[in-house]
Amino acid sequence: MEKVIVYASRYGSAKKYAEQLAAKKGYSLYNVTNVTRAALTNREVILIAAVYIGMPLKLKNLLKSLTPGQPLQLFTVGLTDPEVTDQFTEMETKIRKLAHEASVDLIQLQHLRGAFDYERLNFKHKLLIRALHKSASKQTKPSATDRLFMELYGNSVDYIEVEKLEELL
């Protein structure tokens, strides 16, 4: 079955993964906001989506465009290291439920790390990171997520590893 890559990106990390993978594999590439149902029909879909407020961006929208039984590989992109936290359990449960309700064949669900540039954030997101940093800084025993927010405030980091995505496919 032919494969197609769809991405949903807020600040560019998911898009970077998608573009590099599409170029290396020769797959068609679409932004989730303008992909058509016809472009997805009879294809295995690889969705690479940024995580925002605990869920992949535009997942529900994409699921509406897929047919029952259609294969979907989902790669979420965020800053939290999946190797050092179990915070993905709740999100994975929600994703699997949505895929089941849409009768989509979720054949793979993986988490990748993205990039972050504080200066590129919009005002609302800067306020959010500032509040999370302030809260994390008050912790006597900061969690991995707390330490991440302390590191991010005012900084830039890049954890993108396209090779890791290639290994998972």
Side-chain angles (χ1 to χ4, degrees):
M1 180 177 275
E2 186 179 334
K3 296 181 182 181
V4 61
I5 297 174
V6 179
Y7 70 90
S9 195
R10 183 167 294 273
Y11 287 105
S13 295
K15 181 179 181 182
K16 184 173 181 178
Y17 275 112
E19 288 176 338
Q20 290 189 21
L21 184 64
K24 287 183 180 185
K25 298 285 189 176
Y27 299 156
S28 298
L29 175 66
Y30 299 94
N31 184 319
V32 71
T33 58
N34 54 18
V35 67
T36 63
R37 184 173 286 200
L40 303 175
T41 302
N42 297 321
R43 292 184 174 94
E44 180 177 315
V45 176
I46 299 168
L47 174 61
I48 303 172
V51 174
Y52 185 69
I53 311 177
M55 284 297 286
L57 283 175
K58 307 289 184 180
L59 175 62
K60 288 181 182 179
N61 297 31
L62 180 72
L63 290 173
K64 291 175 188 174
S65 298
L66 301 180
T67 58
Q70 189 167 3
L72 172 66
Q73 293 188 58
L74 174 55
F75 296 91
T76 65
V77 180
L79 292 170
T80 306
D81 186 350
E83 303 296 323
V84 296
T85 183
D86 61 353
Q87 81 175 52
F88 297 103
T89 306
E90 184 178 340
M91 179 174 63
E92 286 179 0
T93 301
K94 290 178 184 177
I95 290 169
R96 290 185 192 288
K97 182 177 187 246
L98 288 172
H100 176 74
E101 289 170 355
S103 300
V104 171
D105 184 11
L106 184 61
I107 59 176
Q108 181 165 209
L109 173 56
Q110 299 287 338
H111 308 288
L112 304 166
R113 296 192 80 187
F116 175 89
D117 183 352
Y118 184 81
E119 293 305 315
R120 289 187 58 217
L121 297 180
N122 66 33
F123 181 71
K124 180 175 96 175
H125 292 150
K126 282 183 179 179
L127 286 177
L128 177 62
I129 294 297
R130 181 178 178 197
L132 292 168
H133 172 266
K134 188 174 182 179
S135 173
S137 298
K138 293 178 181 178
Q139 303 301 315
T140 55
K141 289 188 172 189
S143 68
T145 302
D146 291 332
R147 288 190 301 276
L148 177 66
F149 285 118
M150 289 188 286
E151 177 186 351
L152 292 177
Y153 183 66
N155 295 309
S156 298
V157 295
D158 188 343
Y159 301 119
I160 293 175
E161 297 178 271
V162 176
E163 306 77 34
K164 176 147 177 131
L165 174 59
E166 290 179 55
E167 290 171 14
L168 295 170
L169 288 173

